[in-house]
């Protein structure tokens, strides 16, 4: 029945609550069975043509037009209804936290409301008065832990005055506010390595970080367990003399940097006395080869292998001291007959100060004897 005013972009403001008695006439057996569910009463909105207050006539009718009774009158024949243009707007919720006292070594992080937005609906004039929607939180005791508080929303005008006389409805009237109290801790930075040859200690390269510590924060139960933070991983297979490596620090989940803290570091190396040497490898070692597999290396040489190490050791290194190791396990071998480029690992068994950089592979002839596997399986059965 509200098509008339909704088509005008209007809605009812301050909906009236009226109790109406409806007088009916009919046979006793029909009248005796009637209830309020059988009759609907509503205003006649045909007179509404714009914003304002209207005295509207009430209309009563049967829910089921076939019911055998007549409506003869009502105890109230009109109602006053106020109409206005309605606006809907979504506001971000600002948390106003006061009186918070973080303990020594702790700090208050940004408080957040959930949900973070509220959608308000009401008269255009009332909605336009709202400049901010806030959730006010006040905690007075000293704290070492975060708090979760449920608080009502407050509407403020552009002067910061509370709006209380508006006819506004909201999709949420209260929110859960998290007051994060985080513990600060300064921990040393370390660096990790990958692609490290067996027996080689990367600390020989004397890595030096541009920052030695980082200031982190989080829940005390988590931060207390952290003794150091890795600045990142350096791949020795791509290492070059004289290079520096820039790393971005990634913190564990739930831990964050204290504002303005170090988040990036540069790693340099003291490689005084180290040189680079390129060699050809003719020594090959095959490991993890199944008994029914045959592998041959047609070229028996791997050229342009780059070694890094102390100059004196590299000068004394014999060609046969450098070994190209082939891992013939199923993870690396894909063919059962034919040729395949297989990754190799460069090993210098006689030295724990020299290592190879780069990635290498060698062409192999591979033959797998399936009959040998079958015979072995039959023997076992």
């Amino acid at each position: 029945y509200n098509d008339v005013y909704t088509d005008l972009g209007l809605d009812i403001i301050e909906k009236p609550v009226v109790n109406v008695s409806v007088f009916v006439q009919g046979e006793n057996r029909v009248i005796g069975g009637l209830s309020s569910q059988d009759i609907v009463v509503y205003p006649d909105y045909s007179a509404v043509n714009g914003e304002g207050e209207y005295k509207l006539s009430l209309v009563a009718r049967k829910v089921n037009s076939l019911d055998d009774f007549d409506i003869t009158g009502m105890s109230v024949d009109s109602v006053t209804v106020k109409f206005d243009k309605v606006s809907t707007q979504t506001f971000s919720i600002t948390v106003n936290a006061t009186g918070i006292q973080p303990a020594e070594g702790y700090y208050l992080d940004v408080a957040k409301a959930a949900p973070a937005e509220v959608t308000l609906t009401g008269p255009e004039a009332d909605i336009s008065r709202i400049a901010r929607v806030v959730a006010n939180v006040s905690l007075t005791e000293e704290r070492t832990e975060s708090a979760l508080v449920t608080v009502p929303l407050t509407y403020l005008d552009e002067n910061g005055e509370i709006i209380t006389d508006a006819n506004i409805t909201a999709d949420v009237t209260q929110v859960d506010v998290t007051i994060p109290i985080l513990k600060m801790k300064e921990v040393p930075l370390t660096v990790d390595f990958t692609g490290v040859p067996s027996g080689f200690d990367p600390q020989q390269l004397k890595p030096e970080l541009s920052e030695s510590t980082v200031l982190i924060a989080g829940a005390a139960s988590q931060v207390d367990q952290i003794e150091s933070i890795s600045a990142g991983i350096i791949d020795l297979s791509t290492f070059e003399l004289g290079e520096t490596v820039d790393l971005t620090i990634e913190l564990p989940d739930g831990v964050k940097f204290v504002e303005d803290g170090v988040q990036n570091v540069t790693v340099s190396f003291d490689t005084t006395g180290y040189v680079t040497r390129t060699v050809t490898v003719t020594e090959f070692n095959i490991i993890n080869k199944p008994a029914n597999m045959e592998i041959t290396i047609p070229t028996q040489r791997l050229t342009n292998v780059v070694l890094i190490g102390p100059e004196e050791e590299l000068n004394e290194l014999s060609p046969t001291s450098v070994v190209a190791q082939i891992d013939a396990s199923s993870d690396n071998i894909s063919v059962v007959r034919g040729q395949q480029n297989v990754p190799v690992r460069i090993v210098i068994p006689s030295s724990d100060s020299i290592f190879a950089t780069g990635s290498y592979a060698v062409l192999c002839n591979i033959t797998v004897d399936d009959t040998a596997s079958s015979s072995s399986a039959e023997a076992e059965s």
Side-chain angles (χ1 to χ4, degrees), residues 96 129-134 136 154-164:
N96 181 24
R129 292 169 58 198
I130 299 175
R132 290 190 303 145
V133 178
V134 300
N136 294 312
T154 301
Y155 312 142
L156 302 179
D157 64 17
E158 61 181 8
N159 298 317
E161 299 294 330
I162 298 175
I163 299 173
T164 59

Side-chain angles (χ1 to χ4, degrees), residues 6 39 56 66 74 99-100 126-127 141 147 150 157 166 193 198 201 271 279 303 326 341 345 357 360 377:
T6 55
I39 301 172
L56 303 177
L66 299 179
M74 292 180 288
I100 314 298
D126 288 344
I127 295 294
E141 71 275 10
T150 301
D157 64 17
F193 292 87
S198 177
D201 182 4
T271 52
V279 300
T303 61
I326 299 172
N341 252 346
R345 180 183 182 189
T357 65
Y360 304 96

Side-chain angles (χ1 to χ4, degrees), residues 220-236:
S221 58
Q222 185 175 11
V223 168
D224 286 342
Q225 303 299 315
I226 298 175
E227 298 302 327
S228 64
I229 292 290
S230 173
I233 301 174
I234 296 175
D235 186 357
L236 273 192

Side-chain angles (χ1 to χ4, degrees), residues 8-132:
L8 296 173
L10 303 174
D11 203 351
I12 297 174
I13 307 301
E14 299 177 2
K15 293 184 179 180
V17 178
V18 180
N19 292 319
V20 180
S21 297
V22 180
F23 308 117
V24 297
Q25 180 179 329
E27 296 182 6
N28 287 336
R29 62 179 180 80
V30 177
I31 300 300
L34 292 179
S35 71
S36 60
Q37 305 301 315
D38 298 306
I39 301 172
V40 61
V41 178
Y42 58 93
D44 179 3
Y45 298 114
S46 60
V48 179
N49 56 21
E51 303 168 34
E53 195 171 83
Y54 294 82
K55 185 176 182 180
L56 303 177
S57 299
L58 291 178
V59 177
R61 70 168 181 82
K62 296 182 285 186
V63 173
N64 186 348
S65 60
L66 299 179
D67 285 346
D68 189 15
F69 68 90
D70 297 317
I71 297 173
T72 60
M74 292 180 288
S75 61
V76 179
D77 60 3
S78 64
V79 66
T80 299
V81 183
K82 184 179 180 181
F83 295 86
D84 204 340
K85 287 190 178 296
V86 171
S87 174
T88 297
Q89 187 173 341
T90 298
F91 293 83
S92 296
I93 298 171
T94 301
V95 177
N96 181 24
T98 59
I100 314 298
Q101 301 178 44
E104 182 71 23
Y106 294 76
Y107 78 101
L108 171 64
D109 200 16
V110 179
K112 296 181 180 180
E117 295 181 331
V118 60
T119 299
L120 304 181
T121 301
E124 284 184 343
D126 288 344
I127 295 294
S128 64
R129 292 169 58 198
I130 299 175
R132 290 190 303 145

Side-chain angles (χ1 to χ4, degrees), residues 258-333:
V258 176
E259 188 176 359
D260 297 330
V262 174
Q263 299 184 27
N264 301 281
V265 296
T266 298
V267 184
S268 57
F269 304 88
D270 181 2
T271 52
T272 303
Y274 279 69
V275 295
T276 298
R277 178 179 171 187
T278 302
V279 300
T280 297
V281 179
T282 58
E283 299 293 324
F284 292 88
N285 178 33
I286 301 173
I287 62 173
N288 299 324
K289 183 176 72 68
N292 64 333
M293 179 183 293
E294 292 296 329
I295 296 180
T296 59
I297 304 166
T299 61
Q300 284 295 316
R301 60 193 292 118
L302 184 61
T303 61
N304 298 320
V305 174
V306 179
L307 303 180
I308 294 177
E311 183 175 13
E312 185 177 346
E313 282 197 51
L314 276 177
N315 289 338
E316 295 177 355
L317 187 70
S318 66
T320 57
S321 298
V322 185
V323 179
Q325 189 176 83
I326 299 172
D327 185 353
S329 61
S330 58
D331 291 338
N332 294 322
I333 304 298

